[in-house]
Amino acid sequence: MKRPLLAAASVGIAGLLSGCSCIQEIGGAYFPAWLLSILIGWALSLITRFLLIRVGIDGWIRPRSIGYPCLGVFFTLLTYLIFFTH
């Protein structure tokens, strides 16, 4: 008796979660929104790093191994929130 109830609940949950993906079309190919957000966030963090080096503020960022990945995550999440939420 518990087995059919578990199967029905699993199918119901899978049906509810199936509409959670956001996919963008670029040049005829479909890309998930999170992948585009990661690429844009990575590019923005590199641009920010070069600007900080140019201005001379890069030396003040300590530790860099934590600071720049956090900056990349920040830009990734900001890109996703601005462009890909409904």
Side-chain angles (χ1 to χ4, degrees):
M1 186 69 179
K2 290 183 180 183
R3 196 88 162 162
L5 183 60
L6 180 63
S10 299
V11 170
I13 289 173
L16 290 174
L17 293 177
S18 64
C20 294
S21 66
C22 181
I23 298 178
Q24 303 296 320
E25 180 182 356
I26 298 176
Y30 293 103
F31 292 96
W34 58 266
L35 180 62
L36 293 176
S37 296
I38 289 172
L39 293 176
I40 293 169
W42 179 72
L44 287 174
S45 65
L46 282 177
I47 291 169
T48 304
R49 181 174 187 268
F50 289 130
L51 287 174
L52 291 175
I53 290 172
R54 184 110 166 125
V55 174
I57 304 174
D58 181 61
W60 291 91
I61 298 176
R62 301 279 184 206
R64 289 185 187 125
S65 62
I66 295 174
Y68 287 116
C70 288
L71 192 63
V73 169
F74 170 74
F75 282 130
T76 298
L77 295 176
L78 187 67
T79 302
Y80 188 81
L81 286 175
I82 290 174
F83 295 113
F84 300 114
T85 57
H86 299 277

Coordinates of all heavy atoms in Angstrom, one line a residue:
M1 N 0.8 -1.2 0.0 CA 0.0 0.0 0.0 C 0.9 1.3 0.0 O 0.5 2.3 -0.6 CB -0.9 0.0 1.2 CG -1.9 1.1 1.3 SD -3.1 0.9 0.0 CE -4.1 2.2 0.2
K2 N 2.0 1.2 0.7 CA 2.9 2.4 0.7 C 3.6 2.6 -0.6 O 4.0 3.8 -0.9 CB 3.9 2.3 1.9 CG 3.2 2.4 3.2 CD 4.3 2.4 4.3 CE 3.7 2.5 5.7 NZ 4.7 2.5 6.7
R3 N 3.9 1.6 -1.3 CA 4.6 1.7 -2.5 C 4.0 2.5 -3.6 O 4.6 3.4 -4.2 CB 4.9 0.3 -3.1 CG 6.0 0.2 -4.1 CD 7.3 0.0 -3.4 NE 8.3 -0.5 -4.3 CZ 9.5 -0.4 -4.0 NH1 9.9 0.1 -2.9 NH2 10.4 -0.8 -4.8
P4 N 2.7 2.4 -3.9 CA 2.0 3.2 -4.9 C 1.9 4.7 -4.5 O 2.0 5.6 -5.3 CB 0.6 2.6 -5.1 CG 0.7 1.2 -4.6 CD 1.8 1.2 -3.6
L5 N 1.8 4.9 -3.2 CA 1.7 6.3 -2.7 C 3.1 7.0 -2.8 O 3.1 8.1 -3.2 CB 1.3 6.3 -1.2 CG 1.2 7.6 -0.5 CD1 0.1 8.4 -1.2 CD2 0.9 7.5 0.9
L6 N 4.1 6.2 -2.6 CA 5.5 6.8 -2.8 C 5.7 7.1 -4.3 O 6.3 8.1 -4.6 CB 6.5 5.8 -2.2 CG 8.0 6.2 -2.4 CD1 8.2 7.5 -1.5 CD2 8.9 5.1 -1.9
A7 N 5.3 6.2 -5.1 CA 5.5 6.4 -6.6 C 4.7 7.6 -7.1 O 5.2 8.4 -7.8 CB 5.1 5.1 -7.3
A8 N 3.5 7.8 -6.6 CA 2.7 8.9 -7.0 C 3.3 10.2 -6.5 O 3.3 11.2 -7.2 CB 1.2 8.7 -6.5
A9 N 3.8 10.2 -5.3 CA 4.4 11.4 -4.7 C 5.7 11.8 -5.5 O 5.9 12.9 -5.8 CB 4.7 11.2 -3.2
S10 N 6.4 10.8 -5.9 CA 7.7 11.0 -6.7 C 7.3 11.6 -8.0 O 8.0 12.5 -8.5 CB 8.4 9.7 -6.9 OG 8.8 9.2 -5.6
V11 N 6.3 11.1 -8.7 CA 5.9 11.6 -10.0 C 5.4 13.0 -9.8 O 5.7 13.9 -10.6 CB 4.9 10.7 -10.7 CG1 4.3 11.4 -11.9 CG2 5.5 9.4 -11.0
G12 N 4.6 13.3 -8.8 CA 4.1 14.6 -8.5 C 5.2 15.7 -8.3 O 5.2 16.8 -8.8
I13 N 6.2 15.3 -7.5 CA 7.3 16.2 -7.2 C 8.1 16.4 -8.4 O 8.6 17.5 -8.7 CB 8.2 15.6 -6.0 CG1 7.4 15.7 -4.7 CG2 9.5 16.4 -5.9 CD1 8.0 15.0 -3.5
A14 N 8.4 15.4 -9.2 CA 9.2 15.5 -10.4 C 8.4 16.5 -11.4 O 9.0 17.3 -12.1 CB 9.4 14.2 -11.1
G15 N 7.1 16.3 -11.5 CA 6.3 17.2 -12.3 C 6.4 18.7 -11.9 O 6.4 19.6 -12.7
L16 N 6.4 18.9 -10.6 CA 6.5 20.3 -10.1 C 7.9 20.9 -10.4 O 8.0 22.1 -10.6 CB 6.2 20.3 -8.6 CG 4.7 20.1 -8.3 CD1 4.6 20.0 -6.7 CD2 3.8 21.2 -8.8
L17 N 8.9 20.1 -10.3 CA 10.3 20.6 -10.5 C 10.7 20.7 -11.9 O 11.8 21.2 -12.2 CB 11.3 19.7 -9.7 CG 11.1 19.7 -8.2 CD1 12.1 18.8 -7.5 CD2 11.4 21.1 -7.6
S18 N 10.0 20.1 -12.8 CA 10.4 20.1 -14.2 C 10.4 21.5 -14.9 O 11.0 21.7 -15.9 CB 9.5 19.1 -15.0 OG 8.2 19.6 -15.0
G19 N 9.6 22.4 -14.4 CA 9.5 23.7 -15.0 C 10.5 24.7 -14.4 O 10.3 25.9 -14.6
C20 N 11.6 24.3 -13.7 CA 12.5 25.2 -13.0 C 13.6 25.7 -13.9 O 14.4 26.5 -13.4 CB 13.0 24.5 -11.8 SG 11.7 24.2 -10.6
S21 N 13.8 25.2 -15.1 CA 15.0 25.6 -15.8 C 14.7 26.8 -16.7 O 13.6 26.9 -17.3 CB 15.5 24.4 -16.7 OG 14.5 24.1 -17.7
C22 N 15.7 27.6 -16.9 CA 15.6 28.8 -17.7 C 16.6 28.6 -18.8 O 17.8 28.5 -18.5 CB 15.8 30.0 -16.9 SG 15.7 31.5 -17.9
I23 N 16.2 28.5 -20.1 CA 17.1 28.2 -21.2 C 17.0 29.4 -22.2 O 16.0 29.9 -22.5 CB 16.7 26.9 -21.9 CG1 16.9 25.7 -20.9 CG2 17.6 26.6 -23.1 CD1 16.5 24.4 -21.4
Q24 N 18.2 29.8 -22.6 CA 18.3 30.9 -23.6 C 18.8 30.3 -24.9 O 19.6 29.4 -25.0 CB 19.3 31.9 -23.1 CG 19.0 32.5 -21.7 CD 17.7 33.3 -21.7 OE1 17.4 34.0 -22.7 NE2 16.9 33.1 -20.7
E25 N 18.4 30.9 -26.0 CA 18.8 30.5 -27.3 C 19.8 31.5 -27.9 O 19.6 32.7 -27.9 CB 17.6 30.5 -28.3 CG 18.0 30.0 -29.7 CD 16.9 30.0 -30.6 OE1 15.7 30.2 -30.2 OE2 17.1 29.8 -31.8
I26 N 21.0 31.1 -28.3 CA 22.0 31.9 -28.8 C 22.5 31.2 -30.1 O 23.1 30.2 -30.1 CB 23.2 32.1 -27.9 CG1 22.8 32.7 -26.6 CG2 24.3 32.9 -28.5 CD1 23.8 32.9 -25.5
G27 N 22.2 31.9 -31.2 CA 22.7 31.4 -32.5 C 22.1 30.0 -32.8 O 22.8 29.2 -33.5
G28 N 20.9 29.7 -32.4 CA 20.3 28.4 -32.7 C 20.6 27.3 -31.7 O 20.0 26.3 -31.8
A29 N 21.5 27.6 -30.8 CA 21.8 26.6 -29.8 C 21.2 27.0 -28.4 O 21.1 28.2 -28.2 CB 23.3 26.4 -29.7
Y30 N 20.8 26.1 -27.7 CA 20.2 26.4 -26.4 C 21.2 26.2 -25.2 O 21.9 25.2 -25.2 CB 19.0 25.4 -26.1 CG 17.9 25.7 -27.1 CD1 17.6 24.9 -28.1 CD2 17.0 26.8 -26.9 CE1 16.6 25.1 -29.0 CE2 16.0 27.1 -27.8 CZ 15.8 26.2 -28.8 OH 14.8 26.5 -29.7
F31 N 21.3 27.2 -24.4 CA 22.2 27.2 -23.3 C 21.4 27.5 -22.0 O 20.5 28.3 -22.0 CB 23.3 28.4 -23.4 CG 24.2 28.1 -24.5 CD1 24.0 28.7 -25.8 CD2 25.3 27.4 -24.3 CE1 24.9 28.5 -26.8 CE2 26.2 27.2 -25.4 CZ 26.0 27.8 -26.6
P32 N 21.8 26.8 -20.9 CA 21.1 27.0 -19.7 C 21.5 28.4 -19.1 O 22.7 28.8 -19.3 CB 21.5 25.9 -18.7 CG 22.7 25.2 -19.4 CD 22.6 25.6 -20.8
A33 N 20.6 29.1 -18.4 CA 20.9 30.4 -18.0 C 22.0 30.5 -17.0 O 22.8 31.4 -16.9 CB 19.6 31.0 -17.3
W34 N 22.2 29.4 -16.2 CA 23.3 29.4 -15.2 C 24.6 29.4 -15.8 O 25.6 29.9 -15.3 CB 23.1 28.3 -14.2 CG 23.0 26.9 -14.8 CD1 21.9 26.2 -15.1 CD2 24.2 26.1 -15.1 NE1 22.3 25.0 -15.7 CE2 23.7 24.9 -15.7 CE3 25.5 26.2 -15.0 CZ2 24.5 23.9 -16.1 CZ3 26.4 25.2 -15.4 CH2 25.8 24.0 -16.0
L35 N 24.7 28.7 -17.0 CA 26.0 28.6 -17.7 C 26.4 30.0 -18.2 O 27.5 30.4 -18.1 CB 25.9 27.6 -18.8 CG 27.1 27.4 -19.6 CD1 28.3 26.9 -18.8 CD2 26.9 26.4 -20.8
L36 N 25.4 30.7 -18.8 CA 25.7 32.0 -19.3 C 26.0 33.0 -18.2 O 26.9 33.8 -18.3 CB 24.5 32.6 -20.1 CG 24.1 31.8 -21.4 CD1 22.9 32.4 -22.0 CD2 25.3 32.0 -22.4
S37 N 25.4 32.8 -17.0 CA 25.7 33.7 -15.9 C 27.1 33.4 -15.4 O 27.8 34.4 -15.0 CB 24.7 33.4 -14.8 OG 23.4 33.7 -15.1
I38 N 27.5 32.2 -15.4 CA 28.9 31.9 -15.0 C 29.9 32.5 -15.9 O 30.9 33.1 -15.5 CB 29.1 30.3 -14.8 CG1 28.4 29.8 -13.6 CG2 30.6 30.0 -14.7 CD1 28.3 28.3 -13.5
L39 N 29.7 32.4 -17.2 CA 30.6 32.9 -18.2 C 30.7 34.5 -18.1 O 31.8 35.1 -18.1 CB 30.2 32.5 -19.6 CG 30.4 31.0 -19.9 CD1 29.8 30.7 -21.3 CD2 31.8 30.6 -19.8
I40 N 29.5 35.1 -17.9 CA 29.5 36.6 -17.8 C 30.1 37.0 -16.5 O 30.9 38.0 -16.5 CB 28.1 37.1 -17.9 CG1 27.5 36.8 -19.3 CG2 28.0 38.6 -17.6 CD1 26.1 37.1 -19.5
G41 N 29.9 36.3 -15.4 CA 30.5 36.6 -14.1 C 32.0 36.5 -14.1 O 32.7 37.3 -13.5
W42 N 32.4 35.4 -14.8 CA 33.9 35.2 -14.9 C 34.5 36.3 -15.7 O 35.6 36.8 -15.3 CB 34.1 33.8 -15.6 CG 35.5 33.5 -15.8 CD1 36.4 33.1 -14.8 CD2 36.2 33.5 -17.0 NE1 37.6 32.9 -15.4 CE2 37.5 33.1 -16.8 CE3 35.9 33.7 -18.3 CZ2 38.5 32.9 -17.8 CZ3 36.8 33.6 -19.3 CH2 38.1 33.2 -19.1
A43 N 33.9 36.7 -16.8 CA 34.5 37.8 -17.6 C 34.5 39.1 -16.8 O 35.5 39.9 -16.9 CB 33.7 37.9 -18.9
L44 N 33.4 39.4 -16.1 CA 33.3 40.7 -15.4 C 34.3 40.7 -14.2 O 34.9 41.7 -13.9 CB 31.9 40.9 -14.8 CG 30.8 41.3 -15.8 CD1 29.5 41.3 -15.2 CD2 31.2 42.6 -16.5
S45 N 34.6 39.5 -13.6 CA 35.6 39.5 -12.5 C 37.0 39.7 -13.1 O 37.8 40.4 -12.4 CB 35.5 38.2 -11.7 OG 35.8 37.1 -12.5
L46 N 37.3 39.2 -14.3 CA 38.6 39.4 -14.9 C 38.8 40.9 -15.3 O 39.8 41.5 -15.1 CB 38.7 38.6 -16.2 CG 39.1 37.1 -15.9 CD1 39.1 36.4 -17.3 CD2 40.4 37.0 -15.2
I47 N 37.7 41.5 -15.8 CA 37.8 42.9 -16.2 C 38.0 43.8 -14.9 O 38.8 44.7 -14.9 CB 36.5 43.3 -16.9 CG1 36.5 42.7 -18.3 CG2 36.4 44.9 -17.0 CD1 35.1 42.8 -19.0
T48 N 37.3 43.4 -13.8 CA 37.4 44.1 -12.6 C 38.9 44.0 -12.0 O 39.5 44.9 -11.5 CB 36.4 43.6 -11.5 OG1 35.1 43.8 -12.1 CG2 36.5 44.4 -10.3
R49 N 39.4 42.8 -12.1 CA 40.8 42.6 -11.7 C 41.8 43.4 -12.4 O 42.7 44.1 -11.8 CB 41.2 41.1 -11.8 CG 42.6 40.8 -11.3 CD 42.9 39.4 -11.3 NE 44.2 39.1 -10.7 CZ 45.4 39.1 -11.3 NH1 45.4 39.3 -12.6 NH2 46.5 38.9 -10.7
F50 N 41.6 43.5 -13.8 CA 42.5 44.3 -14.6 C 42.4 45.8 -14.2 O 43.4 46.5 -14.2 CB 42.3 44.1 -16.0 CG 42.8 42.7 -16.5 CD1 42.0 41.9 -17.2 CD2 44.1 42.3 -16.2 CE1 42.5 40.6 -17.7 CE2 44.6 41.0 -16.6 CZ 43.7 40.2 -17.3
L51 N 41.2 46.2 -14.0 CA 40.9 47.6 -13.6 C 41.5 47.9 -12.2 O 42.1 49.0 -12.0 CB 39.4 47.9 -13.5 CG 38.7 48.0 -14.9 CD1 37.2 48.2 -14.7 CD2 39.3 49.2 -15.7
L52 N 41.4 47.0 -11.3 CA 42.0 47.2 -9.9 C 43.6 47.2 -10.0 O 44.2 48.0 -9.3 CB 41.6 46.1 -9.0 CG 40.1 46.2 -8.6 CD1 39.7 45.0 -7.7 CD2 39.8 47.5 -7.9
I53 N 44.1 46.4 -10.9 CA 45.6 46.4 -11.1 C 46.0 47.8 -11.7 O 47.0 48.4 -11.3 CB 46.0 45.2 -11.9 CG1 45.9 43.9 -11.2 CG2 47.5 45.4 -12.4 CD1 46.1 42.7 -12.0
R54 N 45.2 48.2 -12.6 CA 45.6 49.5 -13.3 C 45.5 50.7 -12.4 O 46.3 51.6 -12.4 CB 44.6 49.7 -14.5 CG 44.8 50.9 -15.3 CD 45.3 50.4 -16.6 NE 45.3 51.5 -17.6 CZ 46.3 51.9 -18.3 NH1 47.5 51.2 -18.1 NH2 46.3 52.9 -19.1
V55 N 44.5 50.7 -11.5 CA 44.3 51.8 -10.6 C 45.3 51.7 -9.4 O 45.7 52.7 -8.8 CB 42.9 51.8 -10.0 CG1 42.7 52.8 -8.9 CG2 41.9 52.1 -11.2
G56 N 45.8 50.5 -9.1 CA 46.7 50.3 -8.0 C 46.1 49.8 -6.7 O 46.7 49.8 -5.7
I57 N 44.9 49.4 -6.7 CA 44.2 48.9 -5.5 C 44.3 47.4 -5.3 O 44.0 46.9 -4.2 CB 42.7 49.3 -5.6 CG1 42.5 50.8 -5.8 CG2 41.9 48.9 -4.4 CD1 41.1 51.2 -6.1
D58 N 44.9 46.7 -6.3 CA 45.0 45.3 -6.2 C 45.8 44.8 -5.0 O 45.6 43.8 -4.4 CB 45.6 44.7 -7.5 CG 45.7 43.2 -7.5 OD1 44.7 42.6 -7.4 OD2 46.8 42.7 -7.6
G59 N 46.8 45.6 -4.7 CA 47.7 45.2 -3.5 C 46.9 45.2 -2.2 O 47.4 44.6 -1.2
W60 N 45.8 45.9 -2.1 CA 45.1 46.0 -0.9 C 44.1 44.8 -0.7 O 43.6 44.6 0.4 CB 44.2 47.3 -0.8 CG 45.1 48.5 -0.7 CD1 45.6 49.2 -1.7 CD2 45.6 49.0 0.5 NE1 46.4 50.2 -1.2 CE2 46.4 50.1 0.2 CE3 45.5 48.7 1.9 CZ2 47.1 50.9 1.1 CZ3 46.1 49.5 2.8 CH2 46.9 50.6 2.4
I61 N 43.9 44.0 -1.7 CA 43.0 42.9 -1.6 C 43.8 41.7 -1.0 O 44.6 41.2 -1.6 CB 42.4 42.5 -3.0 CG1 41.6 43.7 -3.5 CG2 41.5 41.3 -2.9 CD1 41.0 43.5 -4.9
R62 N 43.4 41.4 0.2 CA 44.1 40.2 0.9 C 43.0 39.3 1.5 O 42.0 39.8 2.1 CB 44.9 40.8 2.1 CG 46.0 41.7 1.6 CD 47.2 40.9 1.1 NE 48.2 41.9 0.8 CZ 49.2 41.6 -0.1 NH1 49.2 40.5 -0.7 NH2 50.1 42.5 -0.3
P63 N 43.1 38.1 1.4 CA 43.8 37.3 0.5 C 43.2 37.2 -0.8 O 41.9 37.2 -1.0 CB 43.8 35.9 1.2 CG 42.5 35.9 2.0 CD 42.3 37.3 2.4
R64 N 44.0 37.3 -1.8 CA 43.5 37.3 -3.2 C 42.8 36.0 -3.6 O 41.9 36.0 -4.5 CB 44.6 37.7 -4.2 CG 45.1 39.1 -4.1 CD 46.1 39.4 -5.1 NE 46.7 40.7 -4.9 CZ 47.9 40.9 -4.7 NH1 48.8 39.9 -4.8 NH2 48.4 42.1 -4.5
S65 N 43.3 34.9 -3.1 CA 42.7 33.6 -3.4 C 41.2 33.5 -3.0 O 40.5 32.6 -3.4 CB 43.5 32.5 -2.9 OG 43.5 32.6 -1.4
I66 N 40.8 34.3 -2.0 CA 39.4 34.3 -1.6 C 38.7 35.5 -2.2 O 37.5 35.4 -2.6 CB 39.3 34.4 -0.1 CG1 39.9 33.1 0.5 CG2 37.9 34.6 0.4 CD1 40.0 33.1 2.0
G67 N 39.3 36.6 -2.4 CA 38.7 37.8 -2.8 C 38.2 37.8 -4.3 O 37.0 38.1 -4.5
Y68 N 39.0 37.3 -5.2 CA 38.6 37.3 -6.6 C 37.5 36.2 -6.9 O 36.6 36.4 -7.6 CB 39.8 37.1 -7.5 CG 40.6 38.4 -7.6 CD1 41.8 38.5 -7.1 CD2 40.0 39.6 -8.1 CE1 42.5 39.7 -7.1 CE2 40.6 40.8 -8.1 CZ 41.9 40.9 -7.7 OH 42.6 42.1 -7.7
P69 N 37.6 35.0 -6.3 CA 36.5 34.0 -6.5 C 35.2 34.6 -5.9 O 34.1 34.4 -6.5 CB 37.0 32.8 -5.8 CG 38.4 32.8 -5.8 CD 38.8 34.3 -5.7
C70 N 35.3 35.3 -4.8 CA 34.0 35.9 -4.2 C 33.5 36.9 -5.2 O 32.3 37.1 -5.3 CB 34.3 36.4 -2.9 SG 34.5 35.2 -1.6
L71 N 34.4 37.7 -5.8 CA 33.9 38.7 -6.8 C 33.3 38.0 -8.0 O 32.3 38.5 -8.5 CB 35.1 39.5 -7.2 CG 34.9 40.8 -8.0 CD1 34.1 41.8 -7.1 CD2 36.2 41.4 -8.4
G72 N 33.8 36.9 -8.4 CA 33.2 36.1 -9.5 C 31.9 35.6 -9.2 O 30.9 35.6 -10.0
V73 N 31.7 35.1 -8.0 CA 30.4 34.6 -7.5 C 29.4 35.7 -7.4 O 28.3 35.6 -7.8 CB 30.5 33.9 -6.1 CG1 29.2 33.6 -5.5 CG2 31.3 32.6 -6.3
F74 N 29.9 36.9 -6.9 CA 29.0 38.1 -6.8 C 28.5 38.5 -8.2 O 27.3 38.7 -8.4 CB 29.8 39.2 -6.2 CG 29.0 40.5 -6.3 CD1 27.9 40.8 -5.5 CD2 29.5 41.5 -7.2 CE1 27.3 42.0 -5.6 CE2 28.8 42.7 -7.3 CZ 27.7 42.9 -6.5
F75 N 29.4 38.6 -9.2 CA 29.0 38.9 -10.5 C 28.1 37.9 -11.2 O 27.2 38.2 -11.9 CB 30.2 39.2 -11.4 CG 30.8 40.6 -11.2 CD1 32.2 40.7 -11.0 CD2 30.0 41.7 -11.1 CE1 32.7 41.9 -10.7 CE2 30.6 43.0 -10.9 CZ 32.0 43.1 -10.7
T76 N 28.4 36.6 -10.9 CA 27.5 35.5 -11.5 C 26.1 35.6 -10.9 O 25.1 35.6 -11.7 CB 28.1 34.2 -11.1 OG1 29.4 34.1 -11.7 CG2 27.3 33.0 -11.6
L77 N 26.0 35.8 -9.6 CA 24.6 35.8 -9.1 C 23.9 37.1 -9.4 O 22.7 37.1 -9.7 CB 24.7 35.7 -7.5 CG 25.2 34.4 -7.0 CD1 25.4 34.4 -5.5 CD2 24.3 33.2 -7.5
L78 N 24.7 38.2 -9.5 CA 24.0 39.5 -10.0 C 23.6 39.4 -11.4 O 22.4 39.8 -11.7 CB 25.1 40.6 -9.8 CG 24.6 42.0 -10.0 CD1 23.6 42.4 -9.0 CD2 25.7 43.0 -10.1
T79 N 24.3 38.8 -12.3 CA 23.9 38.6 -13.7 C 22.7 37.7 -13.8 O 21.7 38.0 -14.5 CB 25.1 37.9 -14.5 OG1 26.2 38.8 -14.4 CG2 24.7 37.8 -15.9
Y80 N 22.6 36.7 -13.0 CA 21.5 35.8 -13.0 C 20.2 36.5 -12.5 O 19.1 36.4 -13.1 CB 21.7 34.5 -12.2 CG 20.6 33.5 -12.3 CD1 20.6 32.7 -13.4 CD2 19.6 33.4 -11.4 CE1 19.6 31.7 -13.6 CE2 18.6 32.5 -11.6 CZ 18.6 31.6 -12.7 OH 17.6 30.7 -12.8
L81 N 20.4 37.3 -11.4 CA 19.2 38.0 -10.9 C 18.7 39.1 -11.8 O 17.5 39.3 -11.9 CB 19.6 38.6 -9.5 CG 19.7 37.7 -8.4 CD1 20.2 38.4 -7.1 CD2 18.3 37.0 -8.1
I82 N 19.6 39.8 -12.5 CA 19.2 40.9 -13.4 C 18.6 40.4 -14.7 O 17.5 40.9 -15.1 CB 20.4 41.8 -13.7 CG1 20.8 42.6 -12.4 CG2 20.1 42.8 -14.8 CD1 22.0 43.4 -12.5
F83 N 19.2 39.4 -15.3 CA 18.8 39.0 -16.7 C 17.9 37.8 -16.8 O 17.2 37.7 -17.7 CB 20.0 38.8 -17.5 CG 20.8 40.1 -17.8 CD1 22.1 40.2 -17.2 CD2 20.3 41.1 -18.5 CE1 22.8 41.3 -17.4 CE2 21.0 42.3 -18.7 CZ 22.3 42.4 -18.1
F84 N 18.0 36.9 -15.8 CA 17.3 35.6 -16.0 C 16.2 35.3 -15.1 O 15.7 34.2 -15.1 CB 18.3 34.5 -16.0 CG 19.4 34.6 -17.1 CD1 20.7 34.9 -16.7 CD2 19.0 34.6 -18.4 CE1 21.7 35.0 -17.7 CE2 20.0 34.7 -19.4 CZ 21.3 34.9 -19.0
T85 N 15.8 36.2 -14.2 CA 14.7 35.9 -13.3 C 13.4 36.4 -14.0 O 13.4 37.4 -14.7 CB 14.9 36.5 -11.9 OG1 15.1 37.9 -12.1 CG2 16.0 35.8 -11.2
H86 N 12.3 35.8 -13.6 CA 11.0 36.2 -14.3 C 10.3 37.1 -13.4 O 10.1 37.1 -12.3 CB 10.2 35.0 -14.6 CG 10.9 34.0 -15.5 ND1 10.8 34.2 -16.9 CD2 11.6 32.9 -15.3 CE1 11.5 33.2 -17.4 NE2 12.0 32.5 -16.5

